[in-house]
Amino acid sequence: MSPINLSIDCVVLGFDEDQKLKVLLIKKFINEKNDYQHALPGDLVGLNEDLLTGAQRILNSLTSIDNLFLDQFSVFGDPERTNDKKDQSWLKMYRKEPKERVVTVGYIALVKMEDYIPHASSFAIDAEWVELNKVSSELAFDHNLILNNGIEYLRNQLDHELVTNLLPSKFTLSQLQNLYEILLDQKLDKRNFRKNVSKDILIIKTDEKQQGVAHKPAHLYTYKNSEN
Amino acid sequence: MSPINLSIDCVVLGFDEDQKLKVLLIKKFINEKNDYQHALPGDLVGLNEDLLTGAQRILNSLTSIDNLFLDQFSVFGDPERTNDKKDQSWLKMYRKEPKERVVTVGYIALVKMEDYIPHASSFAIDAEWVELNKVSSELAFDHNLILNNGIEYLRNQLDHELVTNLLPSKFTLSQLQNLYEILLDQKLDKRNFRKNVSKDILIIKTDEKQQGVAHKPAHLYTYKNSEN
DNA sequence: ACAAAAGTGTTTTTTTTACACCCATGA
DNA sequence: TCATGGGTGTAAAAAAAACACTTTTGT
């Protein structure tokens, strides 16, 4: 019998029409008085469940979509990570052994927010997208740390395939650049950006153009997946 | 009660006079008939032990040196990873619940082999340095995978501080280059290598030279730690 | 004098960065 | 005709790669 519990916490990032990068947080009560706190969606790993499968299960149960990207980025094993008063308060409500240590594996996902229909899972009273710069600095457990680590990891992993997956199947280069800028939180040079994109043989110019925009319509591009 | 056990496995790399990169493996009996197998040094995490502390403890108990570098690189959580016949045979001898799942965190260390005095820990009948290309493809559990992942991670982490730590406090640039070549398993251009090194203000030329070599003696350099 | 490793610069190529104007459309 | 975002190329700078001969020492 080992008193170390293993959990997975998912940093689920999405972006939407208002051009903000958001993270999916759940809201949960930490006592009987309706006090609540926000947390990353996460849960204990199933007894016989592979970690990636577990991450997918947890993510899917919270977002009901297939993930576009899901990657393990770190383990958080500070023995004190669940000992904060608020965290203990919550654990006492939901876990048989609230004092047992929980080591958690961080997974990061990047999803199309428009595809997402949020529904809160068992102990979550709400699941909502929160702009990154509006995220409380007092998330449950060490979730602020996990979130920051996850974002940093993601920024190092960005590539055209991953990013185009967040766009409609036909997209403009400005949409793509804009998305990179949001994800990296950094302005990019338009001409240099297009020079790079043009070297990627998987990004293909279609015959179509934007319709009904009050300016010169942009060409639409598509990402050619290697299995196509 | 969670039946998931958490362990740490250390990929401890060292190199020595014969200019080979080696990994520290332990040898353990897998039955009563003196059949044995090799494995990475690893053990269960202490109940209340921080992961890095645990990695240091396990490494230290096996090598009796302070580590120069120790970094978490991945988690291995395949529920089947301990189910191989040989592995079960070993687990039956040493664990109360051999069928319980074990999730392991991979740590990588890089040490000066000359400082190392191997002594086998409890269940290890031997601890020895093995050349990388002579490592059995049948290490315990998923240790071949862990080893390969660790090496790849390490190669991406190399820098002058880390590498000079493996050398005597005064070293020649050829020694340094040679060490990079061993670690990267790749030849480097001498002039370009020295050009890079010369840009690093922490690598300092001393007044001394090699003594008693049958060729032009090389200058000795030293690495200036930021705390000096 | 020879063997062995030390030491040294220049050129080419590639990659990255900086930068400004005309175009097509809808309102 | 105007406002809006679309689209385009070149030059400079920086980084990376290729490449060969002379020097100093011990034997």
Side-chain angles (χ1 to χ4, degrees):
Chain A
M1 184 202 97
S2 154
I4 300 184
N5 298 281
L6 190 68
S7 69
I8 287 172
D9 285 303
C10 295
V11 177
V12 185
L13 298 174
F15 90 114
D16 70 356
E17 331 70 63
D18 48 306
Q19 306 292 306
K20 298 277 169 56
L21 187 58
K22 302 194 176 179
V23 60
L24 182 63
L25 296 180
I26 61 172
K27 205 163 135 180
K28 52 191 197 180
F29 288 127
I30 56 174
N31 57 33
E32 319 289 340
K33 290 176 278 180
N34 286 9
D35 292 326
Y36 62 86
Q37 82 184 158
H38 284 95
L40 295 174
D43 209 348
L44 295 176
V45 174
L47 294 192
N48 211 34
E49 180 179 62
D50 181 69
L51 297 178
L52 180 58
T53 310
Q56 283 166 335
R57 170 183 58 80
I58 291 166
L59 174 59
N60 200 269
S61 78
L62 278 150
T63 68
S64 71
I65 57 162
D66 287 330
N67 60 287
L68 301 173
F69 173 75
L70 195 56
D71 222 353
Q72 177 196 317
F73 61 91
S74 197
V75 187
F76 300 85
D78 184 343
E80 309 287 318
R81 62 178 288 279
T82 59
N83 291 357
D84 185 82
K85 214 171 98 187
K86 284 182 181 170
D87 297 324
Q88 276 295 311
S89 177
W90 180 80
L91 286 166
K92 277 175 202 147
M93 293 169 71
Y94 290 99
R95 295 273 169 84
K96 275 183 227 148
E97 299 290 347
K99 298 214 160 159
E100 276 186 6
R101 179 175 180 189
V102 183
V103 170
T104 199
V105 182
Y107 273 80
I108 181 136
L110 187 55
V111 301
K112 271 194 215 191
M113 239 171 97
E114 60 179 84
D115 291 348
Y116 169 77
I117 302 150
H119 54 89
S121 73
S122 54
F123 54 75
I125 54 176
D126 205 356
E128 54 191 359
W129 291 106
V130 180
E131 265 182 54
L132 281 187
N133 53 26
K134 292 189 179 153
V135 170
S136 157
S137 60
E138 303 209 327
L139 297 182
F141 309 113
D142 51 358
H143 286 187
N144 288 100
L145 174 68
I146 296 176
L147 173 58
N148 291 335
N149 280 207
I151 291 169
E152 191 189 335
Y153 177 85
L154 176 69
R155 286 186 175 146
N156 289 321
Q157 296 291 120
L158 291 185
D159 63 29
H160 293 151
E161 179 172 11
L162 177 56
V163 176
T164 52
N165 274 337
L166 295 190
L167 293 172
S169 67
K170 291 179 182 162
F171 53 87
T172 69
L173 295 186
S174 293
Q175 283 179 293
L176 184 60
Q177 178 175 348
N178 181 251
L179 186 45
Y180 265 97
E181 290 178 342
I182 291 169
L183 291 167
L184 294 171
D185 191 25
Q186 182 185 140
K187 279 279 168 201
L188 300 175
D189 178 90
K190 181 158 66 164
R191 281 178 284 190
N192 293 335
F193 180 80
R194 284 166 186 247
K195 208 181 300 169
N196 281 326
V197 166
S198 71
K199 282 182 203 148
D200 185 339
I201 58 167
L202 295 176
I203 294 184
I204 296 162
K205 194 179 199 164
T206 70
D207 297 336
E208 298 169 61
K209 292 185 183 184
Q210 275 181 313
Q211 301 279 327
V213 285
H215 55 74
K216 180 174 176 178
H219 283 97
L220 296 178
Y221 288 74
T222 190
Y223 187 82
K224 180 166 190 159
N225 217 299
S226 46
E227 72 239 27
N228 294 345
Chain B
M1 186 203 95
S2 154
I4 300 185
N5 299 281
L6 190 67
S7 68
I8 287 172
D9 285 303
C10 296
V11 177
V12 185
L13 297 175
F15 90 114
D16 69 357
E17 332 69 63
D18 47 304
Q19 305 292 308
K20 298 277 168 57
L21 188 58
K22 302 192 176 182
V23 60
L24 181 62
L25 296 181
I26 60 171
K27 204 164 136 181
K28 53 191 196 180
F29 289 126
I30 56 175
N31 57 34
E32 318 290 339
K33 288 177 280 178
N34 287 6
D35 291 325
Y36 63 86
Q37 80 185 158
H38 284 96
L40 295 173
D43 209 347
L44 295 176
V45 175
L47 294 192
N48 212 33
E49 179 179 63
D50 181 69
L51 296 179
L52 180 58
T53 310
Q56 283 166 336
R57 170 183 59 81
I58 291 166
L59 173 59
N60 199 268
S61 77
L62 278 150
T63 68
S64 70
I65 56 164
D66 286 331
N67 60 287
L68 301 173
F69 173 75
L70 195 55
D71 221 355
Q72 178 197 110
F73 62 91
S74 197
V75 187
F76 299 85
D78 183 342
E80 309 288 318
R81 62 178 287 281
T82 58
N83 289 358
D84 184 82
K85 214 170 99 188
K86 284 183 182 169
D87 297 324
Q88 276 296 311
S89 175
W90 180 79
L91 287 166
K92 276 175 202 148
M93 294 169 69
Y94 290 99
R95 296 272 169 84
K96 275 183 227 145
E97 299 290 346
K99 297 214 161 157
E100 276 186 8
R101 179 173 179 190
V102 183
V103 170
T104 199
V105 182
Y107 274 79
I108 182 137
L110 188 54
V111 302
K112 271 195 215 191
M113 239 171 98
E114 61 180 82
D115 292 349
Y116 169 77
I117 302 150
H119 55 89
S121 74
S122 55
F123 55 75
I125 52 176
D126 205 357
E128 54 190 359
W129 291 107
V130 180
E131 266 182 54
L132 280 187
N133 53 28
K134 292 190 179 153
V135 170
S136 157
S137 59
E138 303 209 327
L139 297 182
F141 308 114
D142 51 359
H143 286 186
N144 288 100
L145 175 68
I146 296 176
L147 173 58
N148 290 334
N149 280 207
I151 292 170
E152 190 189 336
Y153 177 85
L154 176 69
R155 287 186 174 147
N156 290 321
Q157 296 291 120
L158 290 185
D159 63 29
H160 293 152
E161 180 172 11
L162 177 56
V163 176
T164 52
N165 274 338
L166 294 190
L167 293 171
S169 67
K170 291 179 182 163
F171 53 87
T172 69
L173 295 185
S174 293
Q175 284 179 293
L176 184 59
Q177 178 175 348
N178 181 250
L179 186 45
Y180 265 98
E181 289 178 343
I182 290 169
L183 291 167
L184 294 171
D185 192 25
Q186 184 184 136
K187 277 280 166 200
L188 300 175
D189 178 89
K190 182 158 66 164
R191 280 177 283 191
N192 292 335
F193 180 80
R194 284 164 186 247
K195 211 180 297 169
N196 281 326
V197 167
S198 71
K199 283 182 202 143
D200 185 337
I201 57 168
L202 295 177
I203 293 185
I204 296 163
K205 195 179 199 164
T206 69
D207 297 335
E208 298 170 59
K209 293 186 182 182
Q210 274 182 313
Q211 301 278 327
V213 285
H215 55 75
K216 181 173 176 179
H219 282 98
L220 295 177
Y221 288 73
T222 191
Y223 188 82
K224 181 167 190 160
N225 218 301
S226 47
E227 73 239 26
N228 294 343

